[in-house]
Amino acid sequence: QVQLVESGGGLVQPGGSLRLSCAASGSIFSINAMGWYRPAPGKERELVAAITSGGSTNYADSVKERFTISRDNAKNTVYLQMNSLKPEDTAVYYCYVTFRRYRWSALSETDWGQGTQVTVSS
């Protein structure tokens, strides 16, 4: 089994900041990417930010210039620095990891964390 432990959510005023953390552990041979999704109106979810083990990043247009994703590969941990938060950012943020379970299989799998609540309100 793979475990993802998320932390860092909370209540913050508009314009404030939070930092989310997500640590992966368990039966993982190698990690391809980690990041966060959140529910979005009109669709099941949207990708907020992602980072590969090699360090390349991807952001939703709505959070570019405000959020920064980073990683600590030695700890299998990713961080999402969220600045200039807006009420529209309010959501449960779900960490994910895309990984290979076995060295002898190239199959990629994806697991999800429990989610952490981010609330932006005055």
Side-chain angles (χ1 to χ4, degrees):
Q1 300 296 321
V2 173
Q3 294 82 43
L4 290 175
V5 179
E6 299 184 59
S7 63
L11 174 64
V12 65
Q13 295 185 23
S17 297
L18 289 171
R19 191 178 80 150
L20 307 184
S21 299
C22 180
S25 63
S27 183
I28 298 173
F29 172 70
S30 63
I31 291 174
N32 297 328
M34 296 182 70
W36 279 268
Y37 280 84
R38 67 187 182 190
K43 53 187 174 182
E44 293 185 0
R45 68 186 74 86
E46 68 174 353
L47 179 67
V48 179
I51 187 167
T52 70
S53 294
S56 62
T57 59
N58 190 31
Y59 298 94
D61 288 342
S62 60
V63 308
K64 287 179 179 177
E65 314 302 326
R66 298 189 297 119
F67 293 7
T68 303
I69 190 168
S70 61
R71 78 198 192 287
D72 184 339
N73 284 350
K75 299 179 180 179
N76 287 157
T77 300
V78 293
Y79 308 93
L80 186 64
Q81 180 65 46
M82 309 166 70
N83 297 328
S84 302
L85 283 161
K86 305 175 181 179
E88 307 92 273
D89 297 317
T90 296
V92 178
Y93 285 69
Y94 294 94
C95 179
Y96 79 94
V97 56
T98 299
F99 65 99
R100 290 173 58 186
R101 191 180 300 274
Y102 310 109
R103 66 161 301 278
W104 55 86
S105 175
L107 176 66
S108 292
E109 303 180 36
T110 301
D111 280 0
W112 299 87
Q114 81 283 358
T116 186
Q117 176 70 53
V118 171
T119 302
V120 185
S121 176
S122 59

